[in-house]
Amino acid sequence: MRRALVQLLRCPRCRRGALQPEVDAPVLFFGPLRCQACGASHPVAEGVADLVVDPAEAGPLQRGMEQRWVARAYERYMRPVLQRALTRQPLDGDSEFVLYRSLLGQPAGPVLDVGCGTGLLARKLAREPDAPPVAALDVSRAMLEEGVAQVREAGVAVDFLRAEAPYLPFQDGVLGAVLMSDALPFVADLPRLLMEVHRVLRPGGRWVASTYAPPGAPRALLHRGVGLHARGEAELRREAAAAGFVRFERVSLPSLLVVKAEKGSAQTPR
């Protein structure tokens, strides 16, 4: 984990203090991060900071993501299968990245990939010439371990964090963009998530996320039972506006909805 990213973090326990490493080094591989306000200590191992304080009870699908064999097979097999099951006609990998990249624009600060899985899109972003710093966040240890291995093999720079949305362990107004590819349905508290994303973004920063079309009542109960929360455009637009976002846009494909919204300046009308 690069020191430049550590300086942007906020203690997930007291949600106000900055985090300080015990060793002043450009890259932190091991050792705790200590909160300057409450004194809480958060471990770092293999360059991954563990910032989960009170983990929520995971649904069956999320528990499956903790299996190492699932993480190893995620990009090649599990992710395409899950996308096909939920969206029926998923985009191919290149088209998916081009769509997200076009909606992100030119971030004026670090990009955070929330619910990154094994970091597939984070790696692609980090490969771009003159790319801003890229951070990737997930709650699954198995996914993060695989992500670290993939980043080392690819030879790109991505900083991984173990944390659990909706709360984001960053200081106010420090990120240029927040990406949530396939991760939005895993977050139950949408209003809190959008308040957090709005808080950590710089003015003009963008939130880009994807979800799938809400199913009918019988299937909706089944989806909730495994820990999935599908949302339609009207709900996303309403909650984004309530959190303070402006310039809401959407790309609607069969059973797939990709949205973008911006954090405006004080002078920007909603």
Side-chain angles (χ1 to χ4, degrees), residues 233-252:
E233 178 185 346
E235 181 181 2
L236 291 172
R237 186 183 292 273
R238 180 180 66 251
E239 295 297 344
F245 282 98
V246 299
R247 300 190 182 94
F248 184 97
E249 298 178 9
R250 62 103 174 98
V251 176
S252 183

Side-chain angles (χ1 to χ4, degrees), residues 121-135:
L121 293 178
R123 294 198 308 273
K124 290 185 176 183
L125 286 169
R127 286 192 188 103
E128 291 195 336
D130 302 321
V134 177

Side-chain angles (χ1 to χ4, degrees), residues 42-210:
H42 306 281
V44 178
E46 294 290 339
V48 179
D50 192 334
L51 303 179
V52 174
V53 176
D54 298 311
E57 183 178 354
L61 193 56
Q62 183 61 55
R63 289 198 296 270
M65 299 292 183
E66 290 290 349
Q67 305 300 313
R68 283 194 171 91
W69 69 267
V70 172
R72 294 192 185 102
Y74 182 70
E75 291 184 13
R76 180 170 293 185
Y77 302 111
M78 305 302 294
R79 187 172 186 264
V81 167
L82 185 59
Q83 287 181 325
R84 186 168 296 278
L86 297 178
T87 66
R88 299 181 186 177
Q89 294 180 331
L91 295 172
D92 64 87
D94 290 339
S95 298
E96 180 187 27
F97 179 71
V98 168
L99 175 58
Y100 291 130
R101 187 66 193 86
S102 65
L103 293 174
L104 285 172
Q106 300 300 322
V111 177
L112 175 64
D113 183 1
V114 176
C116 64
T118 54
L120 174 62
L121 293 178
R123 294 198 308 273
K124 290 185 176 183
L125 286 169
R127 286 192 188 103
E128 291 195 336
D130 302 321
V134 177
L137 178 157
D138 205 287
V139 71
S140 167
R141 288 187 176 90
M143 290 289 179
L144 292 172
E145 288 172 3
E146 180 66 19
V148 169
Q150 293 282 356
V151 159
R152 288 174 179 170
E153 183 176 341
V156 295
V158 176
D159 293 298
F160 286 97
L161 304 167
R162 181 171 181 258
E164 188 171 23
Y167 295 104
L168 303 179
F170 285 86
Q171 298 174 29
D172 297 355
V174 296
L175 299 180
V178 172
L179 173 65
M180 298 186 68
S181 166
D182 302 330
L184 192 56
F186 285 89
V187 182
D189 193 343
L190 178 63
R192 172 57 62 182
L193 170 71
L194 290 172
M195 288 174 61
E196 281 288 283
V197 173
H198 189 272
R199 178 185 64 79
V200 301
L201 283 174
R202 297 179 178 183
R206 295 183 178 184
W207 171 63
V208 175
S210 64

Side-chain angles (χ1 to χ4, degrees), residues 11 14 16-22 33-40 42:
C11 177
C14 69
R16 65 178 187 275
L19 297 182
Q20 181 72 29
E22 288 188 348
L33 298 173
R34 194 169 301 279
C35 175
Q36 300 301 290
C38 71
H42 306 281

